[in-house]
Amino acid sequence: MLKISSVFCMLWLMILNGYAQNTADSINPQSFNHKLFEKVLLDKINVYRQEQKVTPLIANVLVYKVALDHIQFLKTNKELTHYQPKADKRTVEDRLKLILNVKKYEVGENLAQTYVLKPTYNYQLDGSTKLTVAATYEEAANYMLYAWLQSEFHKKNILNSNFQISGLASYYDPRNGSLTVVHVLAKIG
């Protein structure tokens, strides 16, 4: 009986593994996998940080809530901005203090937007732009990171060695193919 259960479990795991998405999978606009995209993007950011001799960031659920709050604001208001109108959420600093209830911290925020599954001028690693189509999660994450690396402000946040934890939240709009990301980087305490 134990042998049959073991075989059944192994078959079940093999079936589930066949349905699991990976970074090279084509993006399905009807079921965009935000968690996969966010993980791929953080992994790419951490590879870049390590290449520059900076410690990788650790995903943090509380900092993720700060990023999630802002991506929901951006989604609702359909604009790309670092600021919200409510006084207690106006800046990333305000949102961090409100959501985490902390007094001592350092925080940065990167926003970016690109389009997936349609031709778009995206930054390349060398800083040039090229008409490309982000058809996979890996390609979308590359274009997002490359855009940030072309901005001194965003690059400085990515390479800030004081930042230890981060939260990435994304929103995909299947109506126009836009993919928007909020990345909050922080040091608490």
Side-chain angles (χ1 to χ4, degrees):
M1 181 68 172
L2 181 60
K3 194 173 193 176
I4 292 172
S5 295
S6 295
V7 170
F8 178 74
C9 285
M10 286 183 58
L11 285 171
W12 182 247
L13 287 173
M14 288 171 52
I15 290 169
L16 285 178
N17 191 37
Y19 288 106
Q21 283 193 289
N22 70 51
T23 62
D25 284 347
S26 294
I27 294 170
N28 179 341
Q30 305 313 316
S31 61
F32 189 89
N33 188 333
H34 292 276
K35 289 296 168 203
L36 176 61
F37 171 73
E38 292 159 7
K39 181 190 180 318
V40 172
L41 182 54
L42 182 59
D43 288 348
K44 289 186 174 296
I45 290 167
N46 279 334
V47 166
Y48 182 76
R49 282 174 62 101
Q50 288 177 302
E51 289 171 352
Q52 305 302 312
K53 310 292 188 236
V54 181
T55 305
L57 296 163
I58 298 169
N60 179 283
V61 68
L62 296 175
V63 178
Y64 170 75
K65 288 180 180 182
V66 177
L68 183 62
D69 176 81
H70 198 55
I71 201 73
Q72 289 170 338
F73 170 82
L74 297 177
K75 177 182 175 182
T76 301
N77 292 281
K78 301 196 182 340
E79 66 175 308
L80 195 61
T81 177
H82 286 278
Y83 304 101
Q84 293 187 25
K86 290 179 66 178
D88 62 344
K89 291 186 174 185
R90 187 164 321 282
T91 67
V92 67
E93 291 87 357
D94 296 331
R95 294 187 291 277
L96 186 85
K97 287 190 290 190
L98 177 70
I99 294 170
L100 272 67
N101 193 27
V102 293
K103 304 256 185 280
K104 190 174 179 186
Y105 62 88
E106 186 176 345
V107 66
E109 179 181 68
N110 287 348
L111 308 179
Q113 185 176 70
T114 192
Y115 293 86
V116 298
L117 303 174
K118 64 194 262 183
T120 306
Y121 282 96
N122 285 300
Y123 280 104
Q124 306 301 297
L125 183 56
D126 66 4
S128 65
T129 57
K130 183 177 177 183
L131 188 61
T132 57
V133 176
T136 67
Y137 294 97
E138 178 123 10
E139 291 168 340
N142 279 336
Y143 298 143
M144 210 56 87
L145 176 59
Y146 298 163
W148 280 333
L149 295 180
Q150 299 316 305
S151 157
E152 284 305 313
F153 173 82
H154 295 97
K155 186 176 182 177
K156 185 176 175 184
N157 278 341
I158 289 171
L159 293 177
N160 185 329
S161 61
N162 291 334
F163 294 149
Q164 304 162 339
I165 56 178
S166 79
L168 272 161
S170 61
Y171 166 64
Y172 172 70
D173 187 343
R175 294 170 298 183
N176 66 8
S178 65
L179 175 59
T180 307
V181 177
V182 174
H183 186 201
V184 176
L185 309 93
K187 175 184 179 184
I188 307 298

